[in-house]
Amino acid sequence: MSIRHSLLALLQERPRYGYQLRTEFEDRTGSSWPLNIGQVYTTLDRLERDGLVEQNGADAEGHIVYSITDAGRAEAREWFGAAVSRTSPPRNELAIKLALALTLPAVDVGALIQAQRAVSIRTLQEYTRTRREAVAHLRAADTARLLVLDSLIFQTEAEVRWLDLCEARLMQLAGPA
């Protein structure tokens, strides 16, 4: 996830301070990926260093307000215009854990798969319930949240299917019973 580009995108609407950016990001993504406020301010510092945002001084409460520069607008446009590359997939902790578990004799891989499946199914149920509630009270602003929830649902469904495959392969390794 590119926090850098997300902040630039939000600053295109109007100048904001860090906490406002954090709140807007979480609101627009359905609070699916909470941002650490320290990470927001660190990213703003880097964006300022790179000439993509600038400080506009402080508001009445003393918050430093940031605005996007022309270079920042250009980078945001470029980000929205480019497809997300799949050449370097993000690390998947579960895949790493299972791969390592298969190579270590003291790990019960079957139990690991079962425990993860239970968590994944509970998570899928929660996402589905949240989506159903969002649809029941649909407002125009909720469309972005629904897109994020749909993505999370599809990813979790895929994870459960993958866990089924892992279990099937594990049984193949064990041989005929």
Side-chain angles (χ1 to χ4, degrees), residues 24-95:
E24 281 295 317
F25 176 85
E26 290 180 359
D27 286 349
R28 293 178 193 215
T29 61
S31 299
S32 299
W33 300 285
L35 287 181
N36 177 302
I37 194 64
Q39 187 176 22
V40 171
Y41 280 106
T42 299
T43 303
L44 285 169
D45 287 343
R46 289 186 186 129
L47 290 169
E48 185 179 21
R49 177 200 66 202
D50 296 343
L52 303 174
V53 302
E54 58 191 13
Q55 291 186 20
N56 288 2
D59 67 6
E61 289 85 37
H63 303 112
I64 303 296
V65 178
Y66 293 85
S67 63
I68 192 167
T69 64
D70 289 340
R73 285 185 195 288
E75 182 155 328
R77 268 191 313 275
E78 187 177 314
W79 180 60
F80 280 120
V84 175
S85 172
R86 295 290 182 207
T87 57
S88 297
R91 285 191 182 102
N92 180 326
E93 183 178 354
L94 178 56

Side-chain angles (χ1 to χ4, degrees), residues 102-121:
L102 280 169
T103 66
L104 299 170
V107 179
D108 184 346
V109 180
L112 193 157
I113 291 170
Q114 290 301 320
Q116 185 62 47
R117 181 183 287 112
V119 168
S120 298
I121 289 172

